[in-house]
Structure formats: structure tokens, C-alpha cells
Amino acid sequence: MVKTTSDVRSRSRQVTEGPQRAPHRAMLRATGLGDDDLRKPLIGVASSWNEVTPCNLHLDVDAKDVKEGVRRGGGTPIQFTTIAVSDAIAMGHEGMKASLVSREIIADSVELMVVAEAFDALVAIAGCDKSLPGMMLAIARLNVPAVFLYGGTIMPGRYDGRDVTIGDVYEAVGAHAQGRMTDEELYRLECTACPGAGSCGGLFTANTMSSCVEALGMAPPGTASIPALDPRRPGVCHQAGEMVMRLLAAGVRPRDILTLEAFENAIMTLVAMGGSTNGVLHLLAIAREAGVPLTLMDFDRISRRTPHIADMRPGGRYTMADLDKIGGVPVVLRELLLGGHLHGGALTVTGRTMAENLREVRRPEGQDVVRPLGDPITPTGTLAVLMGSLAPDGAVIKTAGVRRLEFRGPARVFEREEDAFDAVVHGEVKAGEAVIIRYEGPKGGPGMREMLAVTGALFGQGLGEEVALITDGRFSGATHGISIGHVAPEAARGGPIAVVRDGDIVHIDVSARRLDLEVPAEELNARLRAWRAPEPRYRAGALAKYAALVSSSAQGAVCL
């Protein structure tokens, strides 16, 4: 049932109607709005535009095009921005502690703007790892009619006749440290890997989350894979602006779309495509804001029964731009629907169901970016949740491209990422070792740093399948290999990872979903009783506040 004009302006009337609101209108008039504008619904157009990172560099242009779509739909758009951290620039040093924290700040800042300015609806535009889930947290929390729009992937660079991404540059650092790459070769790769605006080109965290949000039904169909500088972008931006106006008129809110079935669709897409383990953290957090009872074990349950069908980097061969050329995420969704996996009745921002959106989609022949369900890359999905004496509350591994699913070796323990990275680049980490990096969890880091610098260096030295990496921190979507993150409870909360010693034997069995420390239970318990929490690394500021409020990674590392 379509709502009346007064219904669709139920929020903005607080600042635009009546003699008491003359001061409010005066402020809005100063921004260029007139009588006609003030009689229409006020629509927030939020983006994470900045000049820090190519992921967000172009979002001001996208926002202007979205505003045109809102106007066409009969609304008055008002643009604002929020922060965004570049993970690639923050990687490998203290700055990465700010990355996951920024997700919460993005969500809080967008929430506060929508509440304070009484916007009737929201279009949220984002282009990097934490801005996507940050916007989605705000959308779920606010529950005003909303559409999410992804800023788009970067195009791959070209180096010696092959496509390259930022992940290749991180791995080249390890190769250079071993003398397998010259200064000139590394410089040439550095200068060509990122050719322009857009988010990192493989199925890293940004492209993973854009795919998941499309599968959730919160983004216009087909928009998860469109490159940042593609000529189609103005059209999809207009579409998003018009779409939010239809949702507002129909009274459809995000929590009508963000159901348990929608989250299961997103998880299926994540594991069918080989997406980032960060998707686990973010989907858990978004589900909590939407009031949906999603748990860590749901990811393992769904992964066990969902085939891996998209051959995407870093575990596979293709970039997001390659997926876009053959039809984008809808091709993956259509295959899952035909196989009886996807919940086709889930509502989407188009006002139609997922199945209705996918009715005309076909998987193109003559390509192997997306395989048919009858011939998958692997019969099960690409995430596994491991439990055991080293991770009583769980840990997560991405299995895409991983050939070695069982590992047993002595622990090599590091108290922070930088020490592990130095050991790797100086050749001090040996094949067969299980590298433990602890006190890097949500509370202990604080901020749960990504470890791409370490994993990239290991692969660059040819040790990617010969060394296991285990951390209570997390991994970039560009990470592959035997990399186990999100170990919970984390070291700072007294989890068993806090008391691992050099030489302790670590046993990983992905097929059995086990992560164990081969130390007698009595000895392990004695170590835990003797453990004392270290002093906080930060006593003031945003990181200190985050450490005091953040929950376990097994709950999505949300602030409680």
C-alpha cells in the first residue's frame, strides 16, 4: 500500500513545517533549498568520499548522480560524507589498528546525521573495506527506507603481460626481500598495479562485501561488480536515487529485507565465490543491528552444503572486472537459485523478490569465471569454522586455493605483527612452522589488525603453503594460504592463544574443523591460571574506547 505524502515526510516535517521551524528552514535555505524543495521528502545521500584512497576518490561524482535520481523520483537530496580508512595504506604498521574501529565510527556518524537532520530516507555509497559494512550497520540500525550503492572495483593493472592487483605488490615485497625481484621490477609493479579509482580488484574485502550486500537484497541488482569508472555508473546512480523514493512511498524498510533468509543468501554467495573472511565479521555485525539471530556456526553450516563455483582471486584466477564482463554477481546468484540453494522469495530493494530479479539472468557459455553447479571448483564452500583447544569459541579459515588442509608443526610465537613480519623478511621463519601472532584481537590490538603484509611476504618467499599463520587478528581479503584468523577467545581475554609457547605442537585439520594445541589439558589449564592480562596499549582516545566496548570476533567484533 502506497503511503500518503505526509507519511513519507514523517521525519522531515520535524524540521520543515510550522512557524516554530522557521529557524530550521532558514538554515536549509542558506544551502540553496527553496519552497518546493522543502515540501518534498528530504533524502540523505551519504558517501565515504575522500582523497586518501582510490576506493573512495570518485564517490563525490557518484553522489551527485544519485542526487539527480532522487530529484527525478520526487525527493530533495542532501549530501554528506563520513570517514574511510585505506587498509592498503594502513597495512603493516600501527595505522591498521584504526581500520576495524572506523567501521563503528562510520556507522555512528551516518546514524547521527540521519537522526539529527531528520532525513526521511537514505542512499549510502561506499567504496572500501570498512565503509561498506559501516554503511550497512547504519542502514540496519536506522531502519529508514534505504538503498546501498557500491563505488565499484578498480581495473586490474598490467605487468609483464598479466593482470595484477595490490595483492601482487604485497607478495612482491617478500620476493624482493629474498632477492627474487629487483628494485626496478618492484618499482615497475608498484607503478602499474593500481591504474585508477576503485576498490582493490580481486575478491578482496570490498568486492566480497559488495557481493554480499547485493545478495542481501540491499543493492540494485548487478551493481556489485560494475567498475568505478565504467560508463554505466551514472545510470546505476540515477537508478539508486529513484529506487529509494519508491521504497519510501511503499513504506519498505531495511529490516523488511534483512531477514535470516537474506543473510543466508549472503553467506552462500560469500562461500560460493571464495570471499574474504572479513565477511564473517561484517555479516555477523549487520545481522545484530537488524535483530537477526545469526551465529558463527551458521557460516560453517552453509559452507558445507554450498559449492564453490566462482574462480576469483586471490585463491583463483579472475578479478571482479572479469566477473562483471560475464554478468556479475547475478550469474552466481542464478546458479545458486537453480541448484535449490538460494532463498528466492527474499525481498529486495527493487520491490521484487530475488527470484524475480534473476528471472532473465543466464550463465554465459564459453567462460570459466563462474562454473555450473554440476561442475564446481570444489563441492563445498570456501570458509571453515575451526574449533578446538586453541580456539574454544572458534576461528576462521578461507579454503579457496588452499591445497594443504592438514598441518602439524611447532609454534613460533610473536606478540605483535611487526615482529612476525621482520622475522619473515629476514628469513627467520622456516617451512613447517606454525606462526602465532597474538594480542592483535579486537580488544588486545586493539582493532584486530589485518596481516596481509605477513602473508604476502610468506607467499613472496615461496612459503605460503609451507607455513601456517594463526592469529586472534584478521586477514585481508587478498590473503590466501594456511591462514587462520579470528581465534577466539583472543589473547587479551585470556584465550588459550595467550599461553602458547615456542615449540608447542599445533595441529590443524580443516576437514575435521579442528584447531588444537597438543599440550596436555592439565598443563594448558595451569598456564591459563597463571596468565595475567597485559596493560592496555592505549589509555585514551578512540582506540581506548573501542577496546573497552568491543565484543569477541565470534560475535562480529561489535561495540556493546
Side-chain angles (χ1 to χ4, degrees), residues 31-45:
T31 70
L33 301 187
D35 288 343
D36 187 52
D37 300 310
L38 295 172
R39 283 191 286 267
K40 297 174 182 177
L42 301 185
I43 312 300
V45 178

Side-chain angles (χ1 to χ4, degrees), residues 421-437:
F421 178 76
D422 287 345
V424 172
V425 296
H426 288 101
E428 297 169 9
V429 171
K430 308 301 181 186
E433 292 183 326
V435 172
I436 306 285
I437 307 177

Side-chain angles (χ1 to χ4, degrees), residues 378-401:
T378 57
T380 57
T382 59
L383 283 178
V385 177
L386 312 183
M387 309 287 281
S389 61
L390 190 49
D393 293 346
V396 180
I397 183 173
K398 178 170 66 176
T399 60

Side-chain angles (χ1 to χ4, degrees), residues 390-415:
L390 190 49
D393 293 346
V396 180
I397 183 173
K398 178 170 66 176
T399 60
V402 177
R403 295 182 295 275
R404 186 173 178 180
L405 298 180
E406 187 169 7
F407 184 99
R408 187 175 181 273
R412 183 76 183 280
V413 181
F414 299 92
E415 307 298 323

Side-chain angles (χ1 to χ4, degrees), residues 200-511:
C200 299
L203 193 65
F204 308 153
T205 302
N207 285 326
T208 294
M209 288 310 299
S210 75
S211 303
C212 287
V213 174
E214 186 170 323
L216 282 171
M218 285 302 305
T223 56
S225 65
I226 297 176
L229 301 182
D230 192 280
R232 291 170 289 171
R233 289 210 65 80
V236 300
C237 292
H238 295 159
Q239 178 189 10
E242 294 169 349
M243 191 174 286
V244 80
M245 295 308 299
R246 292 195 293 271
L247 292 171
L248 178 62
V252 176
R253 297 173 179 268
R255 292 182 198 171
D256 298 324
I257 297 170
L258 295 172
T259 62
L260 179 59
E261 290 76 18
F263 279 97
E264 290 190 340
N265 285 348
I267 297 171
M268 290 177 215
T269 305
L270 174 69
V271 300
M273 294 179 66
S276 168
T277 52
N278 283 314
V280 177
L281 280 180
H282 300 326
L283 288 173
L284 285 172
I286 298 164
R288 179 180 178 274
E289 293 290 357
V292 173
L294 196 68
T295 70
L296 183 61
M297 294 313 299
D298 288 322
F299 290 82
D300 195 76
R301 169 179 61 84
I302 293 169
S303 186
R304 286 178 184 269
R305 60 179 175 83
T306 305
H308 176 203
I309 58 173
D311 192 13
M312 305 293 291
R313 292 190 183 192
R317 293 174 291 165
Y318 295 106
T319 66
M320 201 66 168
D322 295 319
L323 178 65
D324 185 66
K325 290 173 185 174
I326 62 105
V329 173
V331 175
V332 178
L333 296 174
R334 174 72 175 181
E335 284 297 302
L336 293 173
L337 179 67
L338 290 176
H341 296 282
L342 208 68
H343 299 291
L347 182 64
T348 73
V349 289
T350 65
R352 301 186 297 272
T353 66
M354 182 66 72
E356 290 169 335
N357 290 344
L358 298 172
R359 188 168 291 154
E360 304 302 321
V361 176
R362 298 292 183 270
R363 188 186 69 83
E365 298 296 328
Q367 55 79 34
D368 57 357
V369 181
V370 177
R371 307 257 289 262
L373 280 178
D375 182 29
I377 299 166
T378 57
T380 57
T382 59
L383 283 178
V385 177
L386 312 183
M387 309 287 281
S389 61
L390 190 49
D393 293 346
V396 180
I397 183 173
K398 178 170 66 176
T399 60
V402 177
R403 295 182 295 275
R404 186 173 178 180
L405 298 180
E406 187 169 7
F407 184 99
R408 187 175 181 273
R412 183 76 183 280
V413 181
F414 299 92
E415 307 298 323
R416 61 181 197 138
E417 178 190 3
E418 289 91 341
D419 296 338
F421 178 76
D422 287 345
V424 172
V425 296
H426 288 101
E428 297 169 9
V429 171
K430 308 301 181 186
E433 292 183 326
V435 172
I436 306 285
I437 307 177
R438 63 191 179 195
Y439 293 105
E440 292 286 7
K443 180 181 179 67
M448 203 178 180
R449 284 196 283 186
E450 291 183 349
M451 306 290 172
L452 178 57
V454 178
T455 57
L458 284 169
F459 266 89
Q461 294 190 357
L463 294 173
E465 292 284 346
E466 304 302 322
V467 171
L469 184 57
I470 302 162
T471 181
D472 52 8
R474 59 193 177 88
F475 294 109
S476 164
T479 291
H480 50 133
I482 312 170
S483 301
I484 300 171
H486 308 199
V487 171
E490 63 174 290
R493 297 182 189 274
I497 192 172
V499 296
V500 180
R501 295 175 181 171
D502 283 339
D504 287 346
I505 300 300
V506 176
H507 184 206
I508 303 163
D509 188 339
V510 176
S511 298

Side-chain angles (χ1 to χ4, degrees), residues 101-152:
V101 179
S102 75
R103 183 189 74 177
E104 312 308 308
I105 294 172
I106 292 164
D108 290 351
S109 64
V110 172
E111 175 198 1
L112 292 174
M113 284 293 288
V114 172
V115 169
E117 311 309 329
F119 294 134
D120 296 299
L122 175 68
V123 178
I125 313 165
C128 57
D129 291 11
K130 305 311 171 300
S131 59
L132 276 81
M135 292 291 193
M136 282 302 303
L137 288 174
I139 284 172
R141 187 184 301 169
L142 287 161
N143 202 34
V144 301
V147 171
F148 175 85
L149 184 65
Y150 181 41

